[in-house]
Amino acid sequence: MCGIIGFTGYLDVKNVLLEGLEALEYRGYDSAGIAFFEQDGIKTIKTTGKVSNLIDKVEKNGNNSTCGIGHTRWATHGGVSDTNSHPHTFGNVTLIHNGIIENYHELETELAKQGKYPVSQTDTEIAAMLIDSLYHGDPMDTIKKAMSQLEGAYAFCILFADQPDVIYCLRNGSPLVACQSKEGSVIASDMVALIKYSKEYFVLPELHIAKLTKDNIEVTNFDGEIVIPQKLYVKWDMSAARKGGYEHFMLKEIHEQPSSLRSTIMPRIVNGSLPDLSGDGIPDTIFDDINRVIITACGTAMHAGLVGRVLIEKLIRIPVTVEIASEFRYQDPIMDENTLVITISQSGETADTLAALRLSNENKAKTVSIVNVKGSSIARESNYVLYTHAGPEIAVASTKAYTAQLSCIYLLALQFAKAKKAISDTECTSFIHHLQQVIPAVEKTLFLEKELDEISSHLKETQDLFFIGRGIDYPLSCEGSIKLKEISYIHSEAYAAGELKHGTLSLIIEGIPVIALATQANVYSKMISNIREVRARGAMVILVTNGDIALDSSIFDYHIALPELDDMFTPFTTAVVLQLLAYYTTLHRGYNVDQPRNLAKSVTVE
Ligand code: M6R
């Protein structure tokens, strides 16, 4: 969602802020703005549209200001307009905000009684008004008072007009990371904007306040005690956060999959035959009394969970349910200390997934999260974490994070099966062998890129499209569908192939594309029958199979043969094909691949 950057130090702050906002563009936004100290006060510049519009508005050679804040806004309260863009100023206070102030209406009513009215339609301006109304020269005291009145999830960076070159930051629910470097003190909504200054950083703990001065960042808790947050370190550098010669981040990230899978899988295998999660601090004892599993996540991460369900039930024979995280807490879910709850999240900050995790913790379930971003809220609040080592994922469409999530689920399921003695040593060794085979198979799948580009060109004018599959191919159909629709804007639906004739078959008409996933031997003949059903109604069929098998050429228009893998492991290669299809279809239609409309990379509001 919104991007935040704040800097105070020894560089021209306008450049720092604009570069930081460019680095944060991937998060999805509709307006941008900066505010910085000048000799005669705080200057604010903001605009709707891209950061490039903001850059055009910023004077290149003004005063050499060295302290300021910058923001990319993803509209929630109030439409997309210059007025609603951040930063917002009221009286002494200029601030930027990520999150939602849930009680803004009540606060606004109270402020109106004091004769104070906002000019924008945002909840953020109400926060600026509240903080200003409480301010009598002591920022820390004011912020604490404001925190006790603000409800909702938020991260703020605040400038007080009479406190030059100092930035005050606080957070509750929405992420903020900070680092100290020789150039100055930097804070941002994510690491991508900090990496230029330092690989060492810390996460501002929730309900804590950070005071940034040129040479120091002081963190205090709500009682005013100084706290030293745990230092974290990223392994990747600026080049990982750049396109590295690819036209889009999405394409780069699709191609990074062999390497991200290697980094996620290989350190967790011992002697070439056993899973080993001891490096992650996950002891076998956590599985001891587990009699059911709940997997909860959103979007693509949830689709990884659907694959996990098939796998865990097959290996361990205990019931698994997959719950959409945004629904989870409203369903009064059944769980106790014998329930293992697995939360999956690339960002580790998705508000709904975090809420589902918190509810699981409250209910004493054992919680394990599969997360990509180190030190993120979901990682910190889970009993155990299995990090995906996918590196930074910038494109809104999740690709390498998804396959890395799958690999963690496979490892976790195997460890679980081993701990429960549900599989023999030979089966374990064979599983590990097949999992390792996934890496070269994904490499080979990438060679299908040209073919997939060509096939995608036939989808350019399509308005509706269907993905069908059975067994483990059904979750992959869901994933193919979300990938295509989120970036190409083609309406698509995913169906368990056997379910088509219970309603949806009426939508299959001459020429409608159907992407049919038929990688599973146990349902292969059933799947072929379902393909014949759509074919008989004139569908254009793009068929995906595990290996190059003999086929009746009358049942498809295009055939994609995946490198052959054991059936249980085809989700990895199928996913790559579906990602490339979505990517090239979007390119042929001329849309922005990396930043689709209305979407944000990290969804930190409910
Ligand atoms: O950061 P998370 O993995 O928790 O994000 C969950 C979803 O928002 C995310 O997977 C989304 O569905 C992707 N844009 C899909 O490509």
Side-chain angles (χ1 to χ4, degrees):
M1 308 243 102
C2 306
I4 282 181
I5 171 95
F7 176 86
T8 180
Y10 300 95
L11 301 174
D12 179 345
V13 78
K14 284 178 285 180
N15 290 338
V16 174
L17 299 179
L18 294 172
E19 275 175 23
L21 293 182
E22 281 180 317
L24 293 167
E25 280 195 290
Y26 78 95
R27 293 170 69 94
Y29 69 103
D30 40 52
S31 52
I34 57 174
F36 46 89
F37 282 101
E38 290 208 315
Q39 261 160 9
D40 51 353
I42 294 172
K43 179 162 183 181
T44 298
I45 306 168
K46 51 190 187 174
T47 181
T48 54
K50 292 287 167 201
V51 173
S52 56
N53 298 0
L54 182 67
I55 293 174
D56 291 342
K57 271 188 151 183
V58 175
E59 268 179 61
K60 293 287 164 304
N61 40 13
N63 289 337
N64 200 11
S65 313
T66 55
C67 175
I69 53 182
H71 189 265
T72 48
R73 173 176 187 249
W74 188 83
T76 56
H77 292 58
V80 179
S81 67
D82 283 3
T83 312
N84 288 342
S85 309
H86 301 204
H88 286 280
T89 298
F90 202 92
N92 249 301
V93 171
T94 296
L95 57 74
I96 53 178
H97 164 225
N98 181 6
I100 290 180
I101 305 302
E102 284 167 3
N103 62 335
Y104 82 99
H105 192 61
E106 292 90 308
L107 294 171
E108 184 176 1
T109 311
E110 282 308 306
L111 288 158
K113 288 182 193 154
Q114 300 167 28
K116 295 178 178 174
Y117 301 96
V119 291
S120 74
Q121 290 87 50
T122 62
D123 52 335
T124 303
E125 190 184 358
I126 305 299
M129 292 167 69
L130 172 72
I131 295 170
D132 179 70
S133 74
L134 298 168
Y135 187 58
H136 300 289
D138 181 345
M140 297 302 261
D141 182 56
T142 303
I143 290 170
K144 276 194 267 176
K145 284 185 181 140
M147 279 164 99
S148 60
Q149 294 190 40
L150 292 169
E151 288 170 18
Y154 51 76
F156 286 104
C157 290
I158 311 168
L159 306 179
F160 290 89
D162 57 353
Q163 308 281 329
D165 295 339
V166 185
I167 307 173
Y168 291 88
C169 311
L170 62 146
R171 88 170 191 106
N172 177 28
S174 300
L176 277 179
V177 289
C179 73
Q180 185 69 58
S181 77
K182 61 181 186 334
E183 287 96 351
S185 306
V186 203
I187 193 152
S189 45
D190 77 60
M191 199 47 211
V192 167
L194 295 193
I195 187 77
K196 181 167 180 201
Y197 303 97
S198 174
K199 285 186 170 190
E200 191 177 84
Y201 70 105
F202 66 85
V203 178
L204 180 63
E206 293 214 8
L207 296 172
H208 282 56
I209 303 165
K211 178 182 174 186
L212 275 70
T213 49
K214 283 178 193 294
D215 300 305
N216 187 38
I217 304 178
E218 186 178 88
V219 176
T220 46
N221 64 17
F222 202 74
D223 298 324
E225 295 155 350
I226 293 184
V227 169
I228 311 289
Q230 188 199 352
K231 291 263 189 306
L232 298 168
Y233 193 79
V234 281
K235 289 195 183 131
W236 46 274
D237 55 19
M238 269 306 273
S239 63
R242 290 205 188 104
K243 287 187 199 149
Y246 287 92
E247 199 180 339
H248 297 100
F249 282 113
M250 183 178 175
L251 189 61
K252 171 178 173 256
E253 289 159 7
I254 290 173
H255 278 270
E256 281 172 346
Q257 289 177 108
S259 132
S260 59
L261 284 169
R262 201 169 286 119
S263 316
T264 306
I265 296 170
M266 296 316 284
R268 288 159 172 149
I269 293 178
V270 283
N271 304 329
S273 62
L274 289 172
D276 179 14
L277 306 185
S278 59
D280 301 284
I282 302 183
D284 279 357
T285 47
I286 70 159
F287 304 114
D288 279 355
D289 301 316
I290 299 299
N291 55 25
R292 63 182 298 227
V293 175
I294 299 174
I295 305 178
T296 182
C298 298
T300 283
M302 195 270 291
H303 297 155
L306 292 173
V307 174
R309 175 165 74 106
V310 177
L311 196 70
I312 296 171
E313 288 193 341
K314 190 178 164 86
L315 290 179
I316 305 148
R317 307 302 299 156
I318 63 167
V320 182
T321 52
V322 181
E323 308 289 346
I324 296 171
S326 55
E327 292 293 313
F328 190 63
R329 62 194 181 283
Y330 304 111
Q331 288 169 340
D332 198 8
I334 303 165
M335 55 185 158
D336 57 24
E337 63 281 4
N338 300 124
T339 310
L340 177 68
V341 175
I342 304 173
T343 46
I344 309 174
S345 175
Q346 186 284 130
S347 60
E349 298 293 350
T350 300
D352 287 316
T353 312
L354 181 58
L357 169 66
R358 286 179 175 161
L359 183 65
S360 309
N361 284 335
E362 276 165 30
N363 281 278
K364 309 262 179 293
K366 296 208 172 72
T367 54
V368 176
S369 61
I370 296 176
V371 171
N372 196 37
V373 177
K374 261 196 191 166
S376 54
S377 304
I378 293 174
R380 281 180 294 111
E381 295 189 28
S382 303
N383 299 154
Y384 303 95
V385 194
L386 200 50
Y387 279 114
T388 48
H389 298 304
E393 190 179 68
I394 307 291
V396 166
S398 187
T399 55
K400 63 175 178 170
Y402 172 73
T403 47
Q405 286 161 355
L406 286 183
S407 67
C408 280
I409 291 169
Y410 276 64
L411 286 161
L412 191 65
L414 183 63
Q415 185 84 21
F416 192 174
K418 215 175 120 268
K420 287 275 193 194
K421 302 204 180 352
I423 55 165
S424 66
D425 288 353
T426 320
E427 286 166 329
C428 184
T429 305
S430 154
F431 188 103
I432 289 287
H433 167 75
H434 290 305
L435 187 58
Q436 287 173 293
Q437 287 308 304
V438 156
I439 301 167
V442 163
E443 244 152 13
K444 276 196 202 150
T445 310
L446 290 167
F447 290 127
L448 297 171
E449 185 170 356
K450 245 180 137 29
E451 193 179 329
L452 292 163
D453 180 4
E454 211 286 308
I455 296 172
S456 305
S457 67
H458 302 286
L459 302 177
K460 191 174 160 196
E461 307 298 337
T462 299
Q463 302 211 343
D464 302 287
L465 185 151
F466 291 85
F467 288 84
I468 57 172
R470 302 184 77 119
I472 215 165
D473 280 338
Y474 171 57
L476 268 293
S477 300
C478 298
E479 177 52 15
S481 177
I482 195 179
K483 211 90 307 164
L484 185 83
K485 61 190 148 197
E486 73 179 320
I487 56 174
S488 76
Y489 313 148
I490 294 174
H491 165 246
S492 79
E493 295 201 31
Y495 261 83
E499 183 67 8
L500 265 190
K501 54 179 141 340
H502 299 287
T504 313
L505 204 55
S506 63
L507 294 172
I508 304 294
I509 50 168
E510 190 66 34
I512 201 141
V514 173
I515 299 181
L517 309 180
T519 70
Q520 301 298 298
N522 66 330
V523 284
Y524 182 75
S525 58
K526 308 277 173 215
M527 188 62 202
I528 297 299
S529 304
N530 297 137
I531 294 171
R532 288 193 193 282
E533 286 160 9
V534 295
R535 195 67 179 159
R537 281 139 187 106
M540 179 232 251
V541 172
I542 300 170
L543 174 61
V544 181
T545 60
N546 184 15
D548 199 2
I549 48 183
L551 290 165
D552 168 359
S553 63
S554 70
I555 62 163
F556 63 87
D557 292 273
Y558 304 100
H559 173 215
I560 299 155
L562 300 170
E564 201 169 339
L565 282 174
D566 179 271
D567 279 9
M568 209 196 282
F569 296 81
T570 56
F572 293 90
T573 44
T574 306
V576 174
V577 162
L578 299 174
Q579 294 162 358
L580 286 167
L581 273 176
Y583 173 80
Y584 279 106
T585 305
T586 306
L587 221 58
H588 290 298
R589 285 164 69 84
Y591 293 119
N592 184 336
V593 176
D594 285 335
Q595 290 160 27
R597 67 185 174 214
N598 302 340
L599 296 180
K601 180 65 183 163
S602 168
V603 184
T604 51
V605 296
E606 193 180 333

